[in-house]
Amino acid sequence: MVCLGNICRSPLAHGVMEKLILENNLDWTVDSCGTNGYHDGESPDPRAIRVASNQGVDISHQISRRVTIDDFIQYDIILIMDQMNYATLTKMAPPYQKEKIQFLTEFAFPGKNLPVPDPYYDNKFEEAFDLIEKSCLAFVQKFGK
Ligand code: 4NP
C-alpha cells in the first residue's frame, strides 16, 4: 500500500488489509510505505489512528518509511492511492515491474482510476477510511481463497 507520506491513507489500507487477511486466513503479507519519505520513522497521523481504532483496526504500531526498489521485487502487487503515486512509482519501477502498480480502488471501481483523496489537509478521514475499506474488501473478494 503506497501513498505520499505513509502517515494517513496507506497506513489505513495496511491496517484494513491486515485485519481482512487475519479474518479470512489468507497467506498474504501486507506492508505500506510512502513516496516522499518526509515522515520516515514516524507513527501514523493521530487522526488516522483514531478513525481506524473506531472501526476496530489498530494502526498505532506502524512506522512510516519510504518506498524502495526492493519493494517492487518483494511484492506481487503495489496498490497506490492516487495518480501522483502512480506517476512516481512508474518512473522508479525496475523493468517488467510496472504492471504490479494498480489503484487500490481498481477492484471496487474497475477502470475508473479513482483516487483516495488525501485527508491530511481537509480532515476527511472517515470518507478515506470508507473508500479504503470498500476497496480492500473488493480486492479480497477477487483474490482471496
Ligand atoms: P498521506 O497524506 O500521503 O495519505 O500519508 C500525507 C501526509 C503528509 C503529507 C502529505 C500527504 N506531507 O506532505 O507532510
Side-chain angles (χ1 to χ4, degrees):
M1 304 295 189
V2 183
C3 63
L4 181 61
N6 190 215
I7 56 168
C8 297
R9 293 164 296 173
S10 60
L12 289 174
H14 177 174
V16 167
M17 189 60 86
E18 202 164 56
K19 186 161 183 249
L20 288 171
I21 288 170
L22 273 173
E23 286 172 357
N24 292 280
N25 283 314
L26 297 169
D27 182 20
W28 296 354
T29 300
V30 62
D31 196 7
S32 64
C33 56
T35 59
N36 73 9
Y38 293 169
H39 296 274
D40 262 14
E42 294 179 17
S43 298
D45 188 297
R47 297 166 295 175
I49 293 177
R50 195 174 322 120
V51 80
S53 170
N54 288 343
Q55 304 295 331
V57 177
D58 180 14
I59 63 166
S60 62
H61 57 282
Q62 293 183 27
I63 300 291
S64 176
R65 71 171 178 88
R66 191 176 195 173
V67 65
T68 67
I69 292 291
D70 195 50
D71 288 316
F72 288 94
I73 312 300
Q74 179 129 358
Y75 292 94
D76 297 319
I77 185 153
I78 296 174
L79 297 173
I80 50 88
M81 304 297 141
D82 63 28
Q83 187 61 44
M84 189 165 64
N85 309 149
Y86 187 83
T88 307
L89 291 191
T90 49
K91 269 186 226 132
M92 76 178 278
Y96 309 110
Q97 305 298 321
K98 276 192 184 49
E99 291 72 20
K100 290 182 174 177
I101 308 166
Q102 302 269 351
F103 278 72
L104 172 65
T105 57
E106 175 60 23
F107 309 93
F109 305 95
K112 295 212 177 323
N113 291 352
L114 187 70
V116 179
D118 195 339
Y120 186 70
Y121 296 106
D122 69 8
N123 220 17
K124 294 189 173 164
F125 280 83
E126 280 174 19
E127 288 86 341
F129 185 94
D130 288 347
L131 183 54
I132 286 166
E133 185 180 46
K134 198 171 283 179
S135 300
C136 289
L137 277 167
F139 184 88
V140 168
Q141 267 162 18
K142 187 168 168 93
F143 297 109
K145 335 188 225 347

